[in-house]
Structure formats: C-alpha cells, structure tokens
Amino acid sequence: MTYHPKSDFISIMMERGFLADCTDYQGLDEALSKGVVPAYIGFDATAKSLHVGSLIQIMMLCWLQKTGHKPITLMGGGTTKVGDPSFRADERPLLSPTQIDENIAGIKQVFSAYLTYGDGPTDAMMINNAEWLDDLNYLDFLRDIGRHFSINRMLSFESVKSRLDREQSLSFLEFNYMILQAYDFLELNRRYGCLLQMGGSDQWGNIVNGIDLTRRVLDHEIYGLTSPLLTTSDGKKMGKSEAGAVWLNPDMCSPYEFWQFWRNTTDADTGRFLKLYTELPVDECDRLGALEGAEINAAKIILANAVTTLLHGAEAAKAAEATAREVFEKGGIGDDLPTLTLSDEELGEGISIVQLIVKSGLAKSGKEAKRLIAENGARINDEPLTNAGLMIDATTLTTPLKLSAGKKRHALVQLG
C-alpha cells in the first residue's frame, strides 16, 4: 500500500504489521491528526479469560493510547447472549447471565496491564453493551433500526456466506448478531463520541454495517480498521499450543507456561511477533528476527521476556526465564513450573501415571497420555517413562515429582 500517513497511530499500525484494511485511510488519518479519537474493540464474554488470539487487538488499543487517543474496551454483556456466528461452523452454546457476568469479571483483569483507565481525555473506558441492549423494546428496535438493514446485503457477507455455502444452519438468533454489533457502534458514537471501531479482519462486515447504520441514523462520519487474522508460519491458528488455548489470566495459564509459549515461537515468526506483541523499536525487531542458528534463540528469549513483562510484570518474566534455564540447561526442577498438588484423598492408595499426566495438563485424555508414553515422549524425573501401568503412591511423592511431555512441557506433582 502506498498511503503515507500523517498520524502516529496509523504509521505504527502500518510499520508494525497491524493493518489489514481501513474504510477510509485519509479521513481517519485526518481525524487522528486533529485531536483525540475515541476508538473501541468489542470483547464477548464467552470464557473467563481472553487468550493469546485477542492480544493483537489489546496491543492495538495500547498503541492507540500511547499515541494520544482514547481506547474503549467494550464488554459484550448483551451480545454474548446471542453469540457471534462469524466463520463458525455451529452455534455457540448459550450462557446464563450469571456465567456472562463471571466471565466479564475474569476478562477485566487483563486490560489494566496494558491500558490506563480513568477520567482523563486519553484514559481508557470500560463499557458493557448490556447498558443499551438489555432494555431494548423489540418492536421499536425493528422499526427504528431493523429497517436500515438489507437482507440481500447481509447474506453477501463472507462470514454468513461461508456458513450457508457449507449448508450449515444459521439461526435467526445468530443472524441478529451483526445488527446488534452495528447498533453498538451507533450507541458508542451517540453516547461517547466514538469515531473508530477496530477488530480482526473477520469483523469487517460487522464494522461496515455499524458505519452505514450510524451514517443513516445520525449522519455522522465514523471509521473502521481491521488487523490480519494471524496464523503462525506453520499454518496454526494464533493462540493455541499443544496443551490447548494459551489464556491471558494467570490462574488459567501460569506466567511460566505463557513465557514458554513465546519462547517456542518458530524462527520464521520471531521478527513478526516482536513487532506485534512487544514495544521494542521496529529496527530492533527486524534485526532480531533476521538472526539465524543458535542466535535466533536469544531473540526468542527477548520476545518471551518482553511479552510476559507487559502482561505479568518484569518479576514474573525473570522468574520464568530462570525456571526455563534450570529445567533445560541444568536438568533441574525449577521453582516456577506448573504444579499439581494432590490431597491425601485424591492420592488414596495410589494414582496411575496416566491420570497424573492428564491432571497435570500435559495430555488432554488418558488415550493421549498412553500414546505419549508409547511413543517415548514422556519422562518422569528426566528419565524415560515406558510403563503406562505405573502407579504413584505416597512413598513416591515424599519429594515433588517432575513429569515431562517432549522436551518443552513440564509439570510438578506434589502432595498437599
């Protein structure tokens, strides 16, 4: 793209690789150059924590604030009751209002690590769309808002089309989601002067709908900007590890596991991830990403430390690196490994090694644990584990037991 931006925010989005598309580069750039632009990203409360897949959006809000603008984190207390059907093969399970509130409480923990909240002109705001969605009158909403939506156009959006092309059912409930998200943008513009919605490129259709609706109802000029949907160089969806989703809340993924995820980045992704997920200067990210052989490992440690410091703090990053050195370089146990603490009742007369591997999160099922042992991928106290029938009792757990799956994933088991 040949556009040369004037504003710091668009410049950073472009040079660091955050930008997939924008509804009006020039209009948005001029608005950002003139004064403080409030901008939002919506986060539905489908789990108690966001995972690494949401980190690109959080970093966009972080840079927005750093360049003198106002981030709005919109919690989907209302929209989660419907569920975003974008590019999904099936309907999301419906959550109760209590579950949604619990999930929002969990998700809120992460944002304060990246954003400064308060009442100042560039301080972040956290808003829940239940504020305007919960009390909508259905007939008024259909008459005032629904009339602005063309079914023909909604059917042409890729997120809907891909579902229908595969002849997978799309419920009327889900079909309403894009109208509700468009209405969010209208309400945020009306109530808080919000001028920009950002999101992943799978949200493009929903964002454009919100812009059109706001123009029609309020005659206001607003903008949309999307980031690329990230996959790793080997084609995997960003945010997943061998053990499943890499959560951002420390009670769902320890700082050590989080650090280790970034340390395990492939060589080809290192430079790109440094630009997207750290605040290191772009030149330094390019230099580190171009390293080869053993040197690229040093770049991955810098990446892991920088990303972990942003989320969990410098002490947690330092402790994670120290544990990694202890575990990998010296063959020790390390102080910061994920730990499974068994009660006397849980241990009983003894517990099978297969159960322990599953309980400690190194395998998702007994079948997977047995396969790990059969393929010589499991170790116990750094020794090969070959007996899937091994029983562990209190005499074995007088000191913590170290379990390993492959070379990079470890856990401790101890008695409480």
Side-chain angles (χ1 to χ4, degrees):
M1 191 186 23
T2 53
Y3 184 73
H4 298 293
K6 292 181 286 204
S7 65
D8 289 344
F9 179 65
I10 299 272
S11 299
I12 287 168
M13 291 297 98
M14 288 172 78
E15 68 183 8
R16 297 189 84 96
F18 283 99
L19 205 47
D21 249 315
C22 179
T23 54
D24 177 0
Y25 284 103
Q26 203 164 346
L28 176 58
D29 198 25
E30 280 170 16
L32 288 159
S33 302
K34 279 181 198 159
V36 175
V37 168
Y40 92 97
I41 297 178
F43 299 89
D44 275 347
T46 50
K48 285 200 168 86
S49 168
L50 299 173
H51 61 65
V52 163
S54 298
L55 204 47
I56 189 167
Q57 267 75 55
I58 296 171
M59 289 302 294
M60 287 166 85
L61 290 171
C62 180
W63 283 114
L64 183 89
Q65 189 169 48
K66 277 180 173 298
T67 52
H69 302 286
K70 189 174 188 70
I72 298 172
T73 44
L74 182 70
M75 297 285 97
T79 38
T80 306
K81 291 170 185 168
V82 174
D84 185 357
S86 298
F87 298 97
R88 284 181 63 85
D90 51 13
E91 192 169 337
R92 287 184 187 276
L94 294 179
L95 303 178
S96 70
T98 308
Q99 285 173 301
I100 291 170
D101 288 345
E102 284 172 3
N103 288 350
I104 287 174
I107 288 168
K108 280 180 177 177
Q109 293 173 35
V110 166
F111 290 111
S112 53
Y114 296 89
L115 301 170
T116 303
Y117 286 87
D119 301 321
T122 63
D123 284 345
M125 299 171 75
M126 186 168 286
I127 298 163
N128 188 333
N129 63 14
E131 195 180 302
W132 51 83
L133 293 181
D134 273 7
D135 297 323
L136 281 180
N137 177 302
Y138 186 59
L139 289 177
D140 288 347
F141 185 72
L142 280 182
R143 191 188 58 207
D144 299 339
I145 302 299
R147 66 192 179 89
H148 295 294
F149 287 84
S150 152
I151 292 288
N152 311 49
R153 186 151 183 261
M154 288 164 79
L155 288 171
S156 74
F157 284 121
E158 198 52 47
S159 57
V160 173
K161 216 154 108 343
S162 61
R163 182 93 156 254
L164 297 178
D165 286 349
R166 294 194 300 267
E167 296 184 4
Q168 285 159 336
S169 168
L170 179 72
S171 71
F172 180 67
L173 176 75
E174 294 175 285
F175 197 55
N176 272 271
Y177 184 91
M178 63 172 80
I179 299 179
L180 295 179
Q181 187 173 324
Y183 186 65
D184 280 348
F185 203 173
L186 168 71
E187 281 297 325
L188 285 168
N189 179 257
R190 181 159 38 204
R191 293 169 185 232
Y192 304 104
C194 182
L195 292 181
L196 171 64
Q197 182 184 356
M198 302 188 289
S201 56
D202 60 336
Q203 295 300 313
W204 179 255
N206 292 336
I207 291 171
V208 170
N209 268 335
I211 292 169
D212 285 351
L213 179 65
T214 307
R215 276 191 195 139
R216 287 167 189 263
V217 176
L218 301 178
D219 196 25
H220 288 178
E221 193 68 34
I222 57 176
Y223 309 96
L225 182 153
T226 60
S227 62
L229 282 187
L230 269 198
T231 54
T232 54
S233 59
D234 53 3
K236 288 182 186 154
K237 198 172 174 183
M238 186 61 189
K240 302 281 185 182
S241 72
E242 291 172 58
V246 180
W247 301 103
L248 301 182
N249 286 22
D251 56 334
M252 291 175 71
C253 175
S254 74
Y256 171 77
E257 291 170 291
F258 184 77
W259 187 95
Q260 197 61 49
F261 170 78
W262 296 99
R263 170 63 184 82
N264 292 341
T265 296
T266 61
D267 295 2
D269 289 323
T270 304
R272 184 167 62 125
F273 287 1
L274 280 160
K275 283 191 226 176
L276 289 170
Y277 298 111
T278 79
E279 295 172 351
L280 292 173
V282 170
D283 291 351
E284 179 65 357
C285 297
D286 286 335
R287 184 189 73 78
L288 290 166
L291 295 173
E292 293 177 357
E295 285 188 320
I296 193 78
N297 289 330
K300 292 177 190 179
I301 288 171
I302 290 169
L303 170 68
N305 281 337
V307 183
T308 306
T309 296
L310 280 174
L311 178 60
H312 296 299
E315 286 305 309
K318 211 182 290 180
E321 185 184 356
T323 294
R325 288 191 190 285
E326 178 70 20
V327 171
F328 298 118
E329 291 174 16
K330 301 171 190 167
I333 280 182
D335 297 328
D336 201 29
L337 283 181
T339 302
L340 169 68
T341 303
L342 294 173
S343 65
D344 290 337
E345 291 77 32
E346 284 175 300
L347 183 63
E349 295 295 302
I351 188 168
S352 76
I353 195 68
V354 167
Q355 276 180 285
L356 278 189
I357 290 172
V358 174
K359 274 179 176 286
S360 62
L362 296 176
K364 290 177 191 166
S365 64
K367 193 175 172 186
E368 192 181 306
K370 285 174 185 169
R371 189 169 65 243
L372 186 73
I373 294 167
E375 291 172 358
N376 301 317
R379 298 174 83 80
I380 181 165
N381 289 336
D382 296 319
E383 296 297 325
L385 173 59
T386 52
N387 178 10
L390 181 67
M391 295 296 290
I392 301 297
D393 58 23
T395 56
T396 325
L397 286 173
T398 49
T399 57
L401 194 69
K402 179 182 170 189
L403 296 177
S404 307
K407 292 179 182 175
K408 295 177 177 175
R409 294 169 53 229
H410 311 272
L412 293 183
V413 182
Q414 63 184 20
L415 262 179

